[in-house]
């Protein structure tokens, strides 16, 4: 069922629709082009009534619903079977409303979030990642990469040219970067980072072996990345490197001890974390003991 501007009063209409169509499972509201002559839009009260009479709903789209705010979003938990939710241009909603959706809508498997510009923090996203089994997530928010300062990407895949490299090229103001188990990350991504993010002060890499070109099974970044960081990221102060699932024999770590020492000695590193880095031995420790700012 598609419900546009002309349906008014919407609460009365919803009660009737649900009565005539008790199996209604997919509903879209779209108030694009709405003017006050159209009468009141769907609001919290309307959603409350709707949730009590439309018990089969699995798929809901709310587009340009200016009267739906965080308190309205909280009511979406009342749709017990809701699996797919699209929120398009809801100017009033914030992260706290979305967190309520993440907590309340236990069966959510698809979420589209488009043009909801007040949504900031990422607690809702973290909650979805940890406690829900989301299969599809689309977030389109025209935020400005140019002013992004902190960026954390965890357990995502990237591809050559698109994805990570494309993003990093634009993030000129980036100070803190965390890449946790990013599949497909390559030296060229880090080279791009070092060319374009001259203000980088902190980088955290968590790496696990993966199949690289030539089918070598090892962590994908090599000393080329360390060289690029050493050459261009003059403000780098904090460096964290955590390896998971690597072994001395196989699968290997892509970095060498020399490469790591070179980076640590050539930048004013104050904070250093190495974990699972068995390429490091007493020689390496001796070398970093001369790092001035550590
Ligand atoms: C909402 O309605 C507008 C105007 O009728 C239309 O252009 C737009 O595609 C619709 N949006 C969605 C998400 O269907
Ligand atoms: C949740 O979704 C699963 C299938 O994905 C379905 O079997 C189950 O009945 C749903 N739960 C509710 C409350 O609708
Ligand atoms: C993101 O949303 C804006 C405005 O709603 C739209 O113009 C743009 O095409 C969308 N981009 C993608 C990739 O969907
Ligand atoms: C880098 O940091 C300096 C000092 O905080 C700031 O003035 C400059 O605008 C930053 N550069 C970019 C590209 O954001
Ligand atoms: C990123 O750095 C490269 C190499 O210095 C440069 O050619 C490119 O213009 C930079 N990208 C942006 C968006 O500034």
């Amino acid at each position: 069922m598609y419900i546009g501007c002309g349906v008014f009063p919407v609460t009365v209409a919803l009660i009737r629709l649900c009565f005539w169509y008790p199996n209604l499972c997919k509903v879209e509201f779209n108030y694009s082009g709405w003017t006050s002559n159209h009468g009141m839009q769907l609001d919290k009260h309307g959603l409350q009534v709707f949730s009590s009479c439309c018990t089969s709903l699995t798929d809901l789209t709310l587009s340009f619903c200016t009267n739906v705010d965080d308190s309205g979003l909280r009511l979406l938990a009342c749709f017990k079977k809701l699996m797919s939710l699209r929120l398009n241009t809801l100017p009033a909603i914030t992260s706290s409303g979305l967190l309520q959706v993440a907590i309340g809508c236990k069966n959510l498997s698809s979420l589209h979030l488009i043009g909801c510009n007040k949504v900031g923090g990422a607690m809702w996203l973290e909650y979805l990642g940890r406690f829900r089994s989301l299969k599809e997530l689309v977030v389109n928010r025209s935020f400005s990469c140019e002013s992004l300062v902190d960026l954390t990407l965890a357990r995502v895949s990237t591809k050559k040219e698109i994805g990570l490299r494309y993003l990093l090229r634009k993030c000129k103001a980036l100070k803190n970067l965390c890449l946790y188990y990013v599949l497909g990350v390559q030296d060229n991504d880090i080279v791009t980072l070092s060319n374009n993010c001259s203000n980088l002060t902190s980088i955290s890499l968590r790496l696990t072996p993966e199949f690289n070109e030539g089918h070598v099974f090892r962590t994908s970044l090599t000393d080329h990345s360390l060289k690029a960081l050493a050459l261009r990221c003059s403000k780098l102060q904090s460096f964290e490197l955590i390896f998971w699932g690597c072994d001395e024999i196989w699968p290997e770590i892509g970095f060498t001890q020399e490469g790591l020492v070179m980076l640590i000695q050539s930048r004013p590193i104050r904070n250093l974390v190495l974990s699972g880095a068995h390429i490091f031995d007493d020689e390496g420790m001796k070398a970093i003991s001369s790092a001035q700012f550590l």
Side-chain angles (χ1 to χ4, degrees):
M1 184 73 69
Y2 178 95
I3 296 168
C5 298
V7 180
F8 178 79
V10 67
T11 312
V12 177
L14 287 172
I15 294 171
R16 289 191 187 150
L17 285 171
C18 296
F19 180 73
W20 289 323
Y21 305 106
N23 294 331
L24 203 56
C25 62
K26 185 169 175 178
V27 175
E28 174 173 351
F29 293 88
N30 184 352
Y31 285 103
S32 171
W34 178 87
T35 65
S36 56
N37 293 339
H38 287 113
M40 276 271 286
Q41 290 192 12
L42 178 79
D43 61 3
K44 183 181 167 182
H45 174 63
L47 275 172
Q48 196 159 26
V49 171
F50 188 39
S51 67
S52 65
C53 60
C54 187
T55 50
S56 306
L57 194 79
T58 57
D59 194 315
L60 178 66
T61 299
L62 300 173
S63 291
F64 299 91
C65 300
T66 40
N67 286 355
V68 172
D69 59 9
D70 288 344
S71 63
L73 283 192
R74 203 163 296 138
L75 293 169
L76 297 184
C78 302
F79 295 102
K80 295 288 178 227
K81 294 184 175 167
L82 192 65
M83 290 173 72
S84 167
L85 179 63
R86 284 167 193 259
L87 304 174
N88 181 5
T89 320
L90 302 191
I93 68 165
T94 73
S95 315
S96 98
L98 274 183
L99 182 60
Q100 295 302 321
V101 169
I103 294 170
C105 300
K106 298 196 162 54
N107 239 14
L108 202 64
S109 68
S110 165
L111 176 66
H112 288 227
L113 194 62
I114 296 160
C116 298
N117 291 332
K118 271 203 205 159
V119 172
M123 280 251 293
W124 58 275
L125 188 56
E126 206 171 316
Y127 193 96
L128 284 174
R130 279 176 199 259
F131 302 112
R132 297 286 170 256
S133 47
L134 216 57
K135 291 184 180 136
E136 184 175 272
L137 174 70
V138 174
V139 179
N140 173 2
R141 187 165 171 275
S142 318
F143 70 87
S144 154
C145 299
E146 278 78 9
S147 56
L148 203 64
V149 174
D150 297 312
L151 175 66
T152 299
L153 293 170
R155 297 186 189 280
V156 295
S157 317
T158 181
K159 288 189 179 142
K160 259 191 210 171
E161 296 310 325
I162 60 171
L164 188 59
R165 208 168 307 166
Y166 181 79
L167 179 67
L168 291 177
R169 201 171 282 147
K170 293 181 162 189
C171 296
K172 291 183 189 158
L174 203 63
K175 287 188 177 166
N176 306 307
L177 175 68
C178 301
L179 299 177
Y180 297 160
Y181 310 115
V182 173
L183 275 181
V185 63
Q186 291 186 337
D187 282 331
N188 276 336
D189 298 315
I190 304 297
V191 171
T192 299
L193 171 76
S194 58
N195 279 335
N196 299 105
C197 315
S198 52
N199 275 357
L200 194 76
T201 57
S202 156
I203 182 166
S204 172
L205 301 171
R206 298 188 186 175
L207 300 166
T208 194
E210 56 181 299
F211 282 105
N212 291 271
E213 283 165 54
H215 306 288
V216 188
F217 190 60
R218 60 161 168 73
T219 59
S220 52
L221 300 180
T222 72
D223 287 359
H224 289 303
S225 291
L226 301 177
K227 252 178 232 156
L229 292 171
L231 266 174
R232 300 201 195 281
C233 295
S234 57
K235 297 184 179 164
L236 192 65
Q237 293 186 356
S238 178
F239 189 56
E240 181 184 82
L241 199 51
I242 292 178
F243 298 99
W244 191 87
C246 297
D247 198 83
E248 272 169 68
I249 312 289
W250 187 89
E252 280 179 20
I253 288 176
F255 299 130
T256 67
Q257 171 162 276
E258 291 70 32
L260 279 172
V261 166
M262 181 269 307
L263 173 66
I264 294 160
Q265 288 182 335
S266 57
R267 286 296 153 222
I269 303 287
R270 291 171 188 275
N271 307 308
L272 176 69
V273 174
L274 294 175
S275 174
H278 47 65
I279 49 173
F280 232 70
D281 61 16
D282 288 351
E283 286 302 308
M285 295 305 279
K286 215 178 288 169
I288 61 168
S289 68
S290 64
Q292 227 179 324
F293 301 96
L294 199 63

